[in-house]
Amino acid sequence: MDIEKIRTLIALMEESELVNLEISSDDEHISLTRHYDAPAPTMMAAPAASAAAAVEGKPAEKAGSVESSPMVGVFYSAPSPNDPPFVKVGQKVQAGDTLGIIEAMKIMNPLEATQSGIVDEILVDNSEVVQFGQPVIRYKA
């Protein structure tokens, strides 16, 4: 394996802000993954709508805390296409309940509730790509 080729690939990843890069040829295979030293996502209370935002015509932020995606991946609302979703709007959930699945690098990762509450809104669609820290579920205030 040519170290200069690897350095070039790393520089390419940094320039284009890629998280994963995998290259294969007949006799070589390389897989690079960037890891960020970011704090784990936490429950965030949505800020209250300010009078200035209302004056400017911006939609008011909804009240309530949110569950955010802990990783980049594809969100699935049910264990399989024929199964019912893990949660529905209006459903009461307990801390630790599965809210959905996020597939990242062919691994199914459960998205678990970090608090108890009532689901007010599901902010992403089934099979939608989610980003790190993106709000997925909003609880009632």
Side-chain angles (χ1 to χ4, degrees):
M1 183 81 32
D2 182 13
I3 193 71
E4 283 305 313
K5 186 186 290 185
I6 294 172
R7 286 187 177 138
T8 303
L9 292 172
I10 291 170
L12 174 68
M13 286 181 70
E14 290 173 348
E15 289 172 13
S16 60
E17 298 182 12
L18 289 174
V19 176
N20 296 312
L21 179 66
E22 190 166 339
I23 298 175
S24 294
S25 66
D26 293 337
D27 59 341
E28 291 182 323
H29 176 85
I30 187 166
S31 178
L32 302 172
T33 304
R34 290 177 64 183
H35 295 280
Y36 294 99
D37 292 331
T42 59
M43 297 299 296
M44 297 180 284
S50 67
V55 171
E56 293 175 11
K58 294 180 183 175
E61 288 283 328
K62 289 189 175 183
S65 57
V66 295
E67 291 287 352
S68 298
S69 175
M71 65 190 71
V72 175
V74 179
F75 174 78
Y76 295 108
S77 60
S80 71
N82 298 328
D83 290 334
F86 288 106
V87 294
K88 296 178 184 175
V89 172
Q91 180 178 338
K92 184 173 175 61
V93 296
Q94 300 296 320
D97 287 354
T98 301
L99 304 172
I101 296 173
I102 299 176
E103 177 186 6
M105 297 181 67
K106 305 293 182 196
I107 297 174
M108 301 299 181
N109 302 285
L111 175 63
E112 295 180 349
T114 58
Q115 71 176 31
S116 298
I118 297 173
V119 176
D120 185 36
E121 189 176 6
I122 300 172
L123 303 168
V124 295
D125 294 325
N126 188 49
S127 302
E128 183 177 331
V129 175
V130 293
Q131 300 299 317
F132 174 79
Q134 178 180 346
V136 177
I137 304 281
R138 182 184 315 282
Y139 295 108
K140 288 190 179 183

